[in-house]
Amino acid sequence: MTLLCTCHSRNLEQNPRFFGRKQELQIIDEHLLPTVTTNRQRSLKSFGICGTGGLGKTQIAIQYVYTRRVHFDAIFWLFADDKNALGESFASIGQQIGIEDAADSKDLTVSRERVKEWLSNPLKSFDNPDNADNEALWLLVFDNADNLSILDEFWPLTGRGSVLLTSRDPVAKTSFYTENQGIDLSKLSLEETMQCIRFLTKSTLDTDNGRSLARIAEMLDGLMLGIEQVSSIIRRLRLSYEDFLTLYNTQSQKLLDMLPDDSQGRYPHSLSTVWSLQQFSVGSDSLLQMLAMLDPDSVPEILLTAHLNIVELEGYPSDELSYFEARGQLIGSSLVSLVNQAELDNQLRLYRLLQDVVTAKMEKDDFYEVHAAAVRLERCAALLTHIASLKKVADRILASNDQLKDDIKYAALINDAGCDYGLQRLNDSRYLFERGLMEEAQTYYLVVEKLCIQSDRKGNEDVQDMLRECYNNLGTLANEMNDAPAALRYFKIWKHMSLQRKAKDGKVIEDYELGMVYHELGIAYAFTEDYITANEHFLRAKKIFENLIEFKQTMLLFPVGNLGFTYCEQGRLEEAESILLKTIKSQADEFGPDDTISFKTGKLLHALGNVYAKWQRWDQSFEYHSRALAQYMATLGEGHARTGAARYRIVDHFIKNNQPNDAKYGPATSILEQS
């Protein structure tokens, strides 16, 4: 399999009007360009570009990628402002370099570790030997890494490549990641700003010997984003520099009123000035406000146009013609750019600073209305990628103790963010949870809980259904995060709510959900070592499942399997062995031996290994623990806690057998370090 030699991410386009910054590019060269050496054990090269928003950090990085690409075999551009998106990007890299296909990249933890492993030993072709000729030189760009902690799990600790990151955080250039290799990007000087404006506007209408140009340069304060926006206005409207200043001066007070609170610090006033100078139609204003609610890096146009005639927002384009007119105004002002992608829908992109300015300017009622309209966009996978932006806006509303408009629609959307929402939902597997992003999933479900409880419609059946699902998810996450008290609390609420559901004859509805209620509560009690109560709940779940019309033997996988755990802890080893062997056989009959559909089979194998260990039947114990480890590795990946627990069991076998090394697993000390 041959490596695709140059891999670029979406939205990576060279700026044809890039200006200056030669010194900065040369400095980056000194730190990142590959060097000729006979020693293949090169250390990782890294460099950080730091500075406030609007200085042009990303543009410099893009220019570097395009002008230095001949020096690298593979280039990967990653948006590093969101952990979830970064995980998805690593999975995409795995597919691009040929170490995974789409079916293999569902578990983002596994994909991430596979890509990091390739980065540490990058081969152009997997069919050729590992030598210098087959070594790939790579460049990895983390763009907008403003929260450095997001990089903890994604930074390649070893490797033979180069890493470039951009960040607003000045710590980035002196952090562990860049090892004091980086720069604080300075503003352009007054003279450089004037030269840049001349270059971008190509204007000959300098009517006062540069005095107005100098005043514009002073106003823009050397910020590249503001320079680009002002130059766009001058060029498009064919203004002289003096005419531009006159227009600015007549609206200065109004423009200052539109600034964010911290505009004199983080946000330069020039950006607000540029945005406010545009005489937009109502449709353009409305579209810009909608865009400001979403992830500014990449908004699929299909998301905005799928149901134009039913978007409940005053002034929003109601048909394709009005949409394209509104979009044309925004693109013409350079506030929004259109990115055409082969085989994909068009994407719109706007500046992040502009997003903040737009939302800061909006009146309170308008702000709430636009957010509600964004929530009501077609619920599909495309919208789920914008959940973080919508949540950020909603948190701002909720922090003011106000109620969201259409709060249940938003709650449903946030709830879906915790689910695998694609063309179909497989077993309602939770999107963030299944990918190991448990803390992130928890914050989303807590928002769902708050919205449902505060809603005026909290007594409605659909709201109650969502709230029960929310407590199920919160309890499951708490169990996975080893927070037994929280798990008990959430599952007890779920049980109480489930028992309130009555059939027409007045009896409690005993369905699959109620069976799962008892099963999950059993796990929570087991975590607190109340094994008697846990057993009662597992057996109750088993009985409910067996009485279902749609009963299948595999439904007993969870309650019966967990009975094996609790029986083992109680010393009831023969019962534990019998029930676990039976459940493993049922799972194998349905899906094949040691299936990798989920970690559930590994859990059963692990439990039976524990039973045999307590029985001191070491050979059988080692066999099942080894199978459990292999199954966890295939389903959960290297870094999961269950994988680490299985490794500890393997080491325990080596210690008991006075075996410091193993042909298959290697030294016991190495396994412990991996754990």
Side-chain angles (χ1 to χ4, degrees):
M1 185 177 297
T2 301
L3 170 67
L4 179 62
C5 290
T6 305
C7 305
H8 295 300
S9 170
R10 59 185 172 87
N11 295 355
L12 188 60
E13 297 180 356
Q14 188 175 15
N15 183 358
R17 297 188 177 93
F18 184 83
F19 177 83
R21 300 298 192 183
K22 292 182 179 179
Q23 182 179 357
E24 287 82 357
L25 292 170
Q26 289 172 357
I27 293 173
I28 300 172
D29 276 345
E30 294 170 6
H31 291 89
L32 295 189
L33 281 186
T35 54
V36 178
T37 176
T38 57
N39 179 13
R40 295 187 61 220
Q41 300 302 317
R42 300 188 186 94
S43 60
L44 187 71
K45 298 172 179 288
S46 58
F47 192 84
I49 307 174
C50 305
T52 189
L55 280 175
K57 303 181 297 294
T58 297
Q59 289 300 315
I60 291 175
I62 291 175
Q63 184 71 2
Y64 188 83
V65 163
Y66 273 91
T67 56
R68 274 63 172 177
R69 56 185 173 182
V70 296
H71 298 285
F72 299 94
D73 298 303
I75 299 175
F76 309 105
W77 184 284
L78 305 170
F79 296 102
D81 58 336
D82 180 77
K83 184 177 180 180
N84 305 340
L86 200 53
E88 298 282 3
S89 295
F90 261 66
S92 176
I93 289 176
Q95 295 177 44
Q96 290 184 72
I97 62 179
I99 60 176
E100 284 191 328
D101 56 34
D104 294 331
S105 58
K106 292 181 179 179
D107 188 304
L108 300 188
T109 301
V110 174
S111 297
R112 181 192 68 216
E113 295 304 316
R114 285 175 177 170
V115 171
K116 287 169 66 177
E117 181 180 355
W118 181 87
L119 292 173
S120 68
N121 186 29
L123 299 179
K124 296 178 182 178
S125 170
F126 304 118
D127 299 324
N128 295 331
D130 182 4
N131 54 35
D133 291 336
N134 194 29
E135 177 185 349
L137 300 174
W138 54 263
L139 171 65
L140 187 66
V141 182
F142 288 107
D143 189 32
N144 289 313
D146 298 334
N147 181 1
L148 295 178
S149 63
I150 288 179
L151 301 181
D152 288 346
E153 297 175 8
F154 300 93
W155 191 267
L157 296 178
T158 61
R160 306 168 187 165
S162 302
V163 182
L164 177 63
L165 67 84
T166 70
S167 177
R168 294 184 184 183
D169 189 350
V171 175
K173 70 180 184 301
T174 57
S175 69
F176 158 77
Y177 300 110
T178 55
E179 298 180 339
N180 297 317
Q181 307 297 331
I183 55 172
D184 278 319
L185 191 61
S186 62
K187 298 183 294 184
L188 295 181
S189 68
L190 181 63
E191 182 60 31
E192 288 172 330
T193 301
M194 293 172 65
Q195 291 175 3
C196 187
I197 295 173
R198 286 196 185 100
F199 172 76
L200 293 176
T201 61
K202 303 188 184 304
S203 177
T204 59
L205 301 176
D206 190 351
T207 57
D208 57 359
N209 296 318
R211 288 192 298 273
S212 294
L213 176 59
R215 290 175 60 190
I216 294 173
E218 290 175 358
M219 179 187 72
L220 295 176
D221 200 24
L223 293 165
M224 197 63 220
L225 181 55
I227 294 169
E228 290 178 347
Q229 298 298 320
V230 166
S231 299
S232 171
I233 295 170
I234 293 173
R235 187 174 61 250
R236 180 170 57 88
L237 299 182
R238 304 295 193 271
L239 297 174
S240 69
Y241 301 133
E242 188 174 7
D243 288 338
F244 173 84
L245 274 180
T246 300
L247 185 60
Y248 169 74
N249 290 334
T250 60
Q251 301 190 40
S252 60
Q253 186 60 53
K254 179 181 178 181
L255 300 177
L256 287 174
D257 289 341
M258 295 179 180
L259 293 171
D261 292 338
D262 58 352
S263 59
Q264 304 305 320
R266 272 182 71 198
Y267 297 108
H269 70 313
S270 56
L271 184 67
S272 296
T273 298
V274 172
W275 178 79
S276 303
L277 281 171
Q278 313 308 308
Q279 298 299 314
F280 290 144
S281 66
V282 175
S284 295
D285 271 332
S286 182
L287 179 58
L288 183 60
Q289 290 173 354
M290 179 70 81
L291 287 168
M293 297 290 158
L294 305 172
D295 182 350
D297 283 332
S298 183
V299 181
E301 284 206 276
I302 188 65
L303 189 63
L304 301 169
T305 61
H307 301 290
L308 286 170
N309 60 329
I310 62 172
V311 174
E312 299 176 8
L313 184 62
E314 184 178 357
Y316 193 81
S318 58
D319 54 48
E320 286 193 349
L321 178 59
S322 57
Y323 169 79
F324 286 124
E325 288 177 340
R327 188 193 72 172
Q329 281 195 337
L330 297 179
I331 294 175
S333 68
S334 295
L335 293 181
V336 173
S337 58
L338 177 65
V339 181
N340 295 303
Q341 300 187 87
E343 300 179 2
L344 293 175
D345 296 318
N346 288 341
Q347 312 278 321
L348 294 182
R349 181 176 61 207
L350 69 157
Y351 290 107
R352 291 162 178 268
L353 287 176
L354 175 63
Q355 181 185 46
D356 293 336
V357 172
V358 172
T359 55
K361 174 193 175 292
M362 293 168 64
E363 296 293 337
K364 181 178 178 180
D365 288 344
D366 292 338
F367 187 76
Y368 293 4
E369 288 287 355
V370 176
H371 179 267
V375 167
R376 291 193 292 267
L377 292 172
E378 183 181 22
R379 283 169 60 188
C380 59
L383 181 56
L384 290 180
T385 63
H386 298 271
I387 288 295
S389 293
L390 287 168
K391 183 176 180 295
K392 177 182 176 182
V393 175
D395 289 347
R396 176 175 156 187
I397 296 174
L398 295 172
S400 62
N401 295 318
D402 286 333
Q403 187 168 346
L404 291 169
K405 292 181 180 291
D406 214 345
D407 52 355
I408 297 306
K409 280 273 189 180
Y410 174 66
L413 186 64
I414 289 292
N415 194 55
D416 284 343
C419 300
D420 197 0
Y421 211 91
L423 296 177
Q424 57 181 341
R425 293 169 68 178
L426 302 176
N427 300 322
D428 202 25
S429 56
R430 289 170 288 277
Y431 178 85
L432 294 169
F433 170 57
E434 288 288 339
R435 285 157 173 74
L437 304 171
M438 291 180 284
E439 292 82 0
E440 288 84 347
Q442 185 182 55
T443 62
Y444 279 42
Y445 289 129
L446 288 172
V447 172
V448 176
E449 177 193 27
K450 181 176 181 178
L451 291 173
C452 289
I453 291 175
Q454 291 181 347
S455 174
D456 295 336
R457 295 187 285 147
K458 61 184 177 183
N460 290 9
E461 183 178 350
D462 59 337
V463 179
Q464 289 294 301
D465 289 346
M466 190 187 309
L467 193 54
R468 290 199 314 276
E469 181 184 358
C470 174
Y471 285 124
N472 170 17
N473 293 332
L474 283 169
T476 302
L477 287 169
N479 266 341
E480 287 295 320
M481 296 164 71
N482 296 318
D483 187 353
L488 271 176
R489 181 172 71 253
Y490 290 129
F491 286 142
K492 284 181 178 179
I493 298 173
W494 184 25
K495 178 182 179 181
H496 174 75
M497 293 183 67
S498 296
L499 292 175
Q500 302 306 308
R501 299 177 304 144
K502 302 294 175 61
K504 291 182 179 180
D505 60 4
K507 295 182 180 180
V508 173
I509 296 175
E510 294 195 357
D511 56 4
Y512 184 82
E513 179 183 344
L514 189 63
M516 289 304 297
V517 168
Y518 279 97
H519 166 258
E520 296 292 350
L521 255 177
I523 294 176
Y525 281 118
F527 272 131
T528 63
E529 300 184 2
D530 184 354
Y531 298 122
I532 294 177
T533 307
N535 290 344
E536 292 172 354
H537 280 75
F538 291 142
L539 290 170
R540 181 75 178 97
K542 179 175 179 290
K543 182 177 180 181
I544 291 173
F545 288 143
E546 288 174 336
N547 289 333
L548 294 176
I549 296 176
E550 67 273 21
F551 170 72
K552 293 181 180 179
Q553 192 68 32
T554 53
M555 288 182 180
L556 303 182
L557 175 66
F558 274 144
V560 174
N562 283 307
L563 272 173
F565 276 101
T566 53
Y567 285 166
C568 179
E569 294 300 318
Q570 292 175 288
R572 299 162 64 177
L573 301 182
E574 290 184 358
E575 293 173 88
E577 179 192 32
S578 173
I579 203 166
L580 286 170
L581 283 173
K582 181 180 178 181
T583 309
I584 290 171
K585 183 180 184 302
S586 296
Q587 187 75 352
D589 290 343
E590 182 77 14
F591 302 110
D594 295 3
D595 67 272
T596 56
I597 294 175
S598 80
F599 69 90
K600 301 169 188 175
T601 298
K603 189 175 178 181
L604 295 171
L605 297 170
H606 195 165
L608 189 54
N610 292 350
V611 171
Y612 287 134
K614 271 203 170 184
W615 230 330
Q616 297 187 8
R617 290 159 62 172
W618 303 118
D619 289 343
Q620 289 171 288
S621 177
F622 182 73
E623 175 194 347
Y624 280 94
H625 282 148
S626 297
R627 288 169 63 184
L629 176 57
Q631 209 276 345
Y632 286 154
M633 291 276 286
T635 56
L636 298 175
E638 294 272 358
H640 200 280
R642 294 185 188 276
T643 307
R647 279 203 179 96
Y648 271 111
R649 285 293 189 175
I650 296 296
V651 172
D652 190 44
H653 286 288
F654 292 162
I655 293 173
K656 284 183 171 60
N657 293 325
N658 194 25
Q659 183 181 353
N661 200 356
D662 180 79
K664 178 178 179 181
Y665 293 104
T669 53
S670 175
I671 302 173
L672 282 174
E673 289 174 0
Q674 293 173 7
S675 301

PDB file of all heavy atoms in Angstrom, residues 514-520 535-546 555-556 559:
ATOM      1  N   LEU A 514     -37.246  -0.664  31.242  1.00  0.00           N
ATOM      2  CA  LEU A 514     -37.280  -0.976  32.670  1.00  0.00           C
ATOM      3  C   LEU A 514     -36.257  -2.065  33.002  1.00  0.00           C
ATOM      4  O   LEU A 514     -35.623  -2.034  34.074  1.00  0.00           O
ATOM      5  CB  LEU A 514     -38.686  -1.419  33.090  1.00  0.00           C
ATOM      6  CG  LEU A 514     -38.886  -1.562  34.608  1.00  0.00           C
ATOM      7  CD1 LEU A 514     -38.708  -0.217  35.300  1.00  0.00           C
ATOM      8  CD2 LEU A 514     -40.260  -2.147  34.932  1.00  0.00           C
ATOM      9  N   GLY A 515     -36.090  -3.039  32.096  1.00  0.00           N
ATOM     10  CA  GLY A 515     -35.059  -4.049  32.316  1.00  0.00           C
ATOM     11  C   GLY A 515     -33.677  -3.426  32.416  1.00  0.00           C
ATOM     12  O   GLY A 515     -32.871  -3.783  33.277  1.00  0.00           O
ATOM     13  N   MET A 516     -33.403  -2.460  31.545  1.00  0.00           N
ATOM     14  CA  MET A 516     -32.109  -1.774  31.592  1.00  0.00           C
ATOM     15  C   MET A 516     -31.964  -0.925  32.843  1.00  0.00           C
ATOM     16  O   MET A 516     -30.863  -0.762  33.379  1.00  0.00           O
ATOM     17  CB  MET A 516     -31.934  -0.910  30.337  1.00  0.00           C
ATOM     18  CG  MET A 516     -31.707  -1.703  29.056  1.00  0.00           C
ATOM     19  SD  MET A 516     -30.291  -2.842  29.168  1.00  0.00           S
ATOM     20  CE  MET A 516     -28.928  -1.693  29.422  1.00  0.00           C
ATOM     21  N   VAL A 517     -33.067  -0.365  33.336  1.00  0.00           N
ATOM     22  CA  VAL A 517     -33.021   0.395  34.586  1.00  0.00           C
ATOM     23  C   VAL A 517     -32.478  -0.486  35.710  1.00  0.00           C
ATOM     24  O   VAL A 517     -31.552  -0.107  36.446  1.00  0.00           O
ATOM     25  CB  VAL A 517     -34.424   0.920  34.962  1.00  0.00           C
ATOM     26  CG1 VAL A 517     -34.424   1.447  36.397  1.00  0.00           C
ATOM     27  CG2 VAL A 517     -34.859   2.016  34.010  1.00  0.00           C
ATOM     28  N   TYR A 518     -33.061  -1.674  35.860  1.00  0.00           N
ATOM     29  CA  TYR A 518     -32.626  -2.578  36.936  1.00  0.00           C
ATOM     30  C   TYR A 518     -31.192  -3.050  36.703  1.00  0.00           C
ATOM     31  O   TYR A 518     -30.411  -3.190  37.663  1.00  0.00           O
ATOM     32  CB  TYR A 518     -33.582  -3.765  37.045  1.00  0.00           C
ATOM     33  CG  TYR A 518     -34.838  -3.440  37.824  1.00  0.00           C
ATOM     34  CD1 TYR A 518     -36.012  -3.074  37.167  1.00  0.00           C
ATOM     35  CD2 TYR A 518     -34.839  -3.453  39.217  1.00  0.00           C
ATOM     36  CE1 TYR A 518     -37.157  -2.748  37.873  1.00  0.00           C
ATOM     37  CE2 TYR A 518     -35.979  -3.140  39.932  1.00  0.00           C
ATOM     38  CZ  TYR A 518     -37.139  -2.781  39.259  1.00  0.00           C
ATOM     39  OH  TYR A 518     -38.261  -2.457  39.966  1.00  0.00           O
ATOM     40  N   HIS A 519     -30.838  -3.301  35.446  1.00  0.00           N
ATOM     41  CA  HIS A 519     -29.475  -3.743  35.169  1.00  0.00           C
ATOM     42  C   HIS A 519     -28.454  -2.673  35.542  1.00  0.00           C
ATOM     43  O   HIS A 519     -27.456  -2.949  36.215  1.00  0.00           O
ATOM     44  CB  HIS A 519     -29.327  -4.090  33.688  1.00  0.00           C
ATOM     45  CG  HIS A 519     -27.895  -4.234  33.274  1.00  0.00           C
ATOM     46  ND1 HIS A 519     -27.221  -3.241  32.589  1.00  0.00           N
ATOM     47  CD2 HIS A 519     -26.994  -5.228  33.480  1.00  0.00           C
ATOM     48  CE1 HIS A 519     -25.981  -3.621  32.397  1.00  0.00           C
ATOM     49  NE2 HIS A 519     -25.814  -4.816  32.911  1.00  0.00           N
ATOM     50  N   GLU A 520     -28.688  -1.416  35.118  1.00  0.00           N
ATOM     51  CA  GLU A 520     -27.728  -0.347  35.394  1.00  0.00           C
ATOM     52  C   GLU A 520     -27.650  -0.045  36.892  1.00  0.00           C
ATOM     53  O   GLU A 520     -26.569   0.236  37.414  1.00  0.00           O
ATOM     54  CB  GLU A 520     -28.109   0.922  34.622  1.00  0.00           C
ATOM     55  CG  GLU A 520     -28.057   0.779  33.110  1.00  0.00           C
ATOM     56  CD  GLU A 520     -26.641   0.606  32.583  1.00  0.00           C
ATOM     57  OE1 GLU A 520     -25.686   0.775  33.357  1.00  0.00           O
ATOM     58  OE2 GLU A 520     -26.481   0.286  31.386  1.00  0.00           O
ATOM     59  N   ASN A 535     -27.257  -8.224  42.956  1.00  0.00           N
ATOM     60  CA  ASN A 535     -27.787  -9.479  42.412  1.00  0.00           C
ATOM     61  C   ASN A 535     -29.304  -9.411  42.230  1.00  0.00           C
ATOM     62  O   ASN A 535     -29.851  -9.892  41.231  1.00  0.00           O
ATOM     63  CB  ASN A 535     -27.439 -10.647  43.331  1.00  0.00           C
ATOM     64  CG  ASN A 535     -25.956 -10.973  43.303  1.00  0.00           C
ATOM     65  OD1 ASN A 535     -25.240 -10.542  42.404  1.00  0.00           O
ATOM     66  ND2 ASN A 535     -25.491 -11.720  44.290  1.00  0.00           N
ATOM     67  N   GLU A 536     -29.990  -8.819  43.216  1.00  0.00           N
ATOM     68  CA  GLU A 536     -31.447  -8.705  43.121  1.00  0.00           C
ATOM     69  C   GLU A 536     -31.845  -7.924  41.872  1.00  0.00           C
ATOM     70  O   GLU A 536     -32.806  -8.276  41.182  1.00  0.00           O
ATOM     71  CB  GLU A 536     -31.994  -8.024  44.381  1.00  0.00           C
ATOM     72  CG  GLU A 536     -31.855  -8.857  45.653  1.00  0.00           C
ATOM     73  CD  GLU A 536     -32.227  -8.068  46.900  1.00  0.00           C
ATOM     74  OE1 GLU A 536     -32.473  -6.839  46.773  1.00  0.00           O
ATOM     75  OE2 GLU A 536     -32.265  -8.665  47.999  1.00  0.00           O
ATOM     76  N   HIS A 537     -31.121  -6.853  41.578  1.00  0.00           N
ATOM     77  CA  HIS A 537     -31.448  -6.029  40.416  1.00  0.00           C
ATOM     78  C   HIS A 537     -31.111  -6.752  39.111  1.00  0.00           C
ATOM     79  O   HIS A 537     -31.867  -6.666  38.132  1.00  0.00           O
ATOM     80  CB  HIS A 537     -30.716  -4.691  40.501  1.00  0.00           C
ATOM     81  CG  HIS A 537     -31.382  -3.700  41.405  1.00  0.00           C
ATOM     82  ND1 HIS A 537     -31.318  -3.791  42.782  1.00  0.00           N
ATOM     83  CD2 HIS A 537     -32.147  -2.602  41.124  1.00  0.00           C
ATOM     84  CE1 HIS A 537     -32.008  -2.790  43.316  1.00  0.00           C
ATOM     85  NE2 HIS A 537     -32.513  -2.058  42.339  1.00  0.00           N
ATOM     86  N   PHE A 538     -29.989  -7.470  39.088  1.00  0.00           N
ATOM     87  CA  PHE A 538     -29.642  -8.211  37.872  1.00  0.00           C
ATOM     88  C   PHE A 538     -30.678  -9.295  37.571  1.00  0.00           C
ATOM     89  O   PHE A 538     -31.079  -9.489  36.415  1.00  0.00           O
ATOM     90  CB  PHE A 538     -28.251  -8.832  38.005  1.00  0.00           C
ATOM     91  CG  PHE A 538     -27.129  -7.836  38.008  1.00  0.00           C
ATOM     92  CD1 PHE A 538     -26.026  -8.021  38.834  1.00  0.00           C
ATOM     93  CD2 PHE A 538     -27.167  -6.720  37.198  1.00  0.00           C
ATOM     94  CE1 PHE A 538     -24.981  -7.116  38.844  1.00  0.00           C
ATOM     95  CE2 PHE A 538     -26.131  -5.797  37.195  1.00  0.00           C
ATOM     96  CZ  PHE A 538     -25.036  -5.994  38.025  1.00  0.00           C
ATOM     97  N   LEU A 539     -31.116  -9.993  38.609  1.00  0.00           N
ATOM     98  CA  LEU A 539     -32.113 -11.044  38.418  1.00  0.00           C
ATOM     99  C   LEU A 539     -33.464 -10.465  38.003  1.00  0.00           C
ATOM    100  O   LEU A 539     -34.191 -11.064  37.196  1.00  0.00           O
ATOM    101  CB  LEU A 539     -32.253 -11.862  39.706  1.00  0.00           C
ATOM    102  CG  LEU A 539     -31.043 -12.745  40.046  1.00  0.00           C
ATOM    103  CD1 LEU A 539     -31.162 -13.317  41.454  1.00  0.00           C
ATOM    104  CD2 LEU A 539     -30.908 -13.870  39.019  1.00  0.00           C
ATOM    105  N   ARG A 540     -33.794  -9.286  38.549  1.00  0.00           N
ATOM    106  CA  ARG A 540     -35.051  -8.632  38.151  1.00  0.00           C
ATOM    107  C   ARG A 540     -34.985  -8.221  36.678  1.00  0.00           C
ATOM    108  O   ARG A 540     -35.956  -8.389  35.929  1.00  0.00           O
ATOM    109  CB  ARG A 540     -35.279  -7.399  39.022  1.00  0.00           C
ATOM    110  CG  ARG A 540     -36.576  -6.657  38.704  1.00  0.00           C
ATOM    111  CD  ARG A 540     -37.780  -7.406  39.252  1.00  0.00           C
ATOM    112  NE  ARG A 540     -39.005  -6.662  38.994  1.00  0.00           N
ATOM    113  CZ  ARG A 540     -39.838  -6.872  37.976  1.00  0.00           C
ATOM    114  NH1 ARG A 540     -39.567  -7.835  37.097  1.00  0.00           N
ATOM    115  NH2 ARG A 540     -40.933  -6.160  37.827  1.00  0.00           N
ATOM    116  N   ALA A 541     -33.840  -7.703  36.253  1.00  0.00           N
ATOM    117  CA  ALA A 541     -33.666  -7.334  34.848  1.00  0.00           C
ATOM    118  C   ALA A 541     -33.795  -8.563  33.961  1.00  0.00           C
ATOM    119  O   ALA A 541     -34.449  -8.522  32.897  1.00  0.00           O
ATOM    120  CB  ALA A 541     -32.307  -6.670  34.647  1.00  0.00           C
ATOM    121  N   LYS A 542     -33.171  -9.653  34.381  1.00  0.00           N
ATOM    122  CA  LYS A 542     -33.224 -10.910  33.610  1.00  0.00           C
ATOM    123  C   LYS A 542     -34.677 -11.368  33.422  1.00  0.00           C
ATOM    124  O   LYS A 542     -35.091 -11.747  32.314  1.00  0.00           O
ATOM    125  CB  LYS A 542     -32.418 -11.984  34.338  1.00  0.00           C
ATOM    126  CG  LYS A 542     -32.399 -13.356  33.671  1.00  0.00           C
ATOM    127  CD  LYS A 542     -31.453 -14.279  34.435  1.00  0.00           C
ATOM    128  CE  LYS A 542     -31.440 -15.681  33.810  1.00  0.00           C
ATOM    129  NZ  LYS A 542     -32.710 -16.398  34.020  1.00  0.00           N
ATOM    130  N   LYS A 543     -35.466 -11.288  34.469  1.00  0.00           N
ATOM    131  CA  LYS A 543     -36.862 -11.730  34.398  1.00  0.00           C
ATOM    132  C   LYS A 543     -37.677 -10.842  33.453  1.00  0.00           C
ATOM    133  O   LYS A 543     -38.491 -11.337  32.659  1.00  0.00           O
ATOM    134  CB  LYS A 543     -37.474 -11.714  35.793  1.00  0.00           C
ATOM    135  CG  LYS A 543     -38.915 -12.213  35.829  1.00  0.00           C
ATOM    136  CD  LYS A 543     -39.451 -12.251  37.253  1.00  0.00           C
ATOM    137  CE  LYS A 543     -40.899 -12.752  37.270  1.00  0.00           C
ATOM    138  NZ  LYS A 543     -41.451 -12.775  38.663  1.00  0.00           N
ATOM    139  N   ILE A 544     -37.441  -9.508  33.532  1.00  0.00           N
ATOM    140  CA  ILE A 544     -38.169  -8.579  32.653  1.00  0.00           C
ATOM    141  C   ILE A 544     -37.849  -8.881  31.194  1.00  0.00           C
ATOM    142  O   ILE A 544     -38.746  -8.934  30.336  1.00  0.00           O
ATOM    143  CB  ILE A 544     -37.814  -7.122  33.003  1.00  0.00           C
ATOM    144  CG1 ILE A 544     -38.394  -6.748  34.377  1.00  0.00           C
ATOM    145  CG2 ILE A 544     -38.346  -6.157  31.939  1.00  0.00           C
ATOM    146  CD1 ILE A 544     -37.957  -5.390  34.881  1.00  0.00           C
ATOM    147  N   PHE A 545     -36.569  -9.082  30.881  1.00  0.00           N
ATOM    148  CA  PHE A 545     -36.172  -9.365  29.499  1.00  0.00           C
ATOM    149  C   PHE A 545     -36.802 -10.667  29.003  1.00  0.00           C
ATOM    150  O   PHE A 545     -37.289 -10.750  27.870  1.00  0.00           O
ATOM    151  CB  PHE A 545     -34.650  -9.451  29.384  1.00  0.00           C
ATOM    152  CG  PHE A 545     -33.960  -8.125  29.517  1.00  0.00           C
ATOM    153  CD1 PHE A 545     -32.744  -8.031  30.173  1.00  0.00           C
ATOM    154  CD2 PHE A 545     -34.517  -6.972  28.994  1.00  0.00           C
ATOM    155  CE1 PHE A 545     -32.095  -6.814  30.299  1.00  0.00           C
ATOM    156  CE2 PHE A 545     -33.881  -5.752  29.111  1.00  0.00           C
ATOM    157  CZ  PHE A 545     -32.673  -5.665  29.768  1.00  0.00           C
ATOM    158  N   GLU A 546     -36.793 -11.707  29.850  1.00  0.00           N
ATOM    159  CA  GLU A 546     -37.312 -13.018  29.445  1.00  0.00           C
ATOM    160  C   GLU A 546     -38.817 -12.978  29.171  1.00  0.00           C
ATOM    161  O   GLU A 546     -39.335 -13.796  28.408  1.00  0.00           O
ATOM    162  CB  GLU A 546     -36.998 -14.051  30.520  1.00  0.00           C
ATOM    163  CG  GLU A 546     -35.523 -14.420  30.582  1.00  0.00           C
ATOM    164  CD  GLU A 546     -35.189 -15.336  31.753  1.00  0.00           C
ATOM    165  OE1 GLU A 546     -35.943 -15.322  32.753  1.00  0.00           O
ATOM    166  OE2 GLU A 546     -34.179 -16.047  31.676  1.00  0.00           O
ATOM    167  N   MET A 555     -30.145 -10.638  24.869  1.00  0.00           N
ATOM    168  CA  MET A 555     -30.561  -9.573  25.788  1.00  0.00           C
ATOM    169  C   MET A 555     -30.038  -9.812  27.194  1.00  0.00           C
ATOM    170  O   MET A 555     -29.916  -8.875  27.984  1.00  0.00           O
ATOM    171  CB  MET A 555     -32.096  -9.473  25.832  1.00  0.00           C
ATOM    172  CG  MET A 555     -32.736  -8.903  24.598  1.00  0.00           C
ATOM    173  SD  MET A 555     -34.531  -8.776  24.798  1.00  0.00           S
ATOM    174  CE  MET A 555     -35.007  -8.090  23.215  1.00  0.00           C
ATOM    175  N   LEU A 556     -29.733 -11.072  27.496  1.00  0.00           N
ATOM    176  CA  LEU A 556     -29.266 -11.402  28.841  1.00  0.00           C
ATOM    177  C   LEU A 556     -27.768 -11.164  29.011  1.00  0.00           C
ATOM    178  O   LEU A 556     -27.219 -11.421  30.088  1.00  0.00           O
ATOM    179  CB  LEU A 556     -29.594 -12.865  29.155  1.00  0.00           C
ATOM    180  CG  LEU A 556     -31.073 -13.262  29.061  1.00  0.00           C
ATOM    181  CD1 LEU A 556     -31.254 -14.722  29.451  1.00  0.00           C
ATOM    182  CD2 LEU A 556     -31.930 -12.373  29.939  1.00  0.00           C
ATOM    183  N   PRO A 559     -27.128  -8.376  32.102  1.00  0.00           N
ATOM    184  CA  PRO A 559     -27.439  -8.766  33.488  1.00  0.00           C
ATOM    185  C   PRO A 559     -26.794 -10.083  33.906  1.00  0.00           C
ATOM    186  O   PRO A 559     -26.275 -10.196  35.020  1.00  0.00           O
ATOM    187  CB  PRO A 559     -28.969  -8.865  33.490  1.00  0.00           C
ATOM    188  CG  PRO A 559     -29.358  -9.044  32.068  1.00  0.00           C
ATOM    189  CD  PRO A 559     -28.346  -8.287  31.279  1.00  0.00           C
TER     190      PRO A 559
END
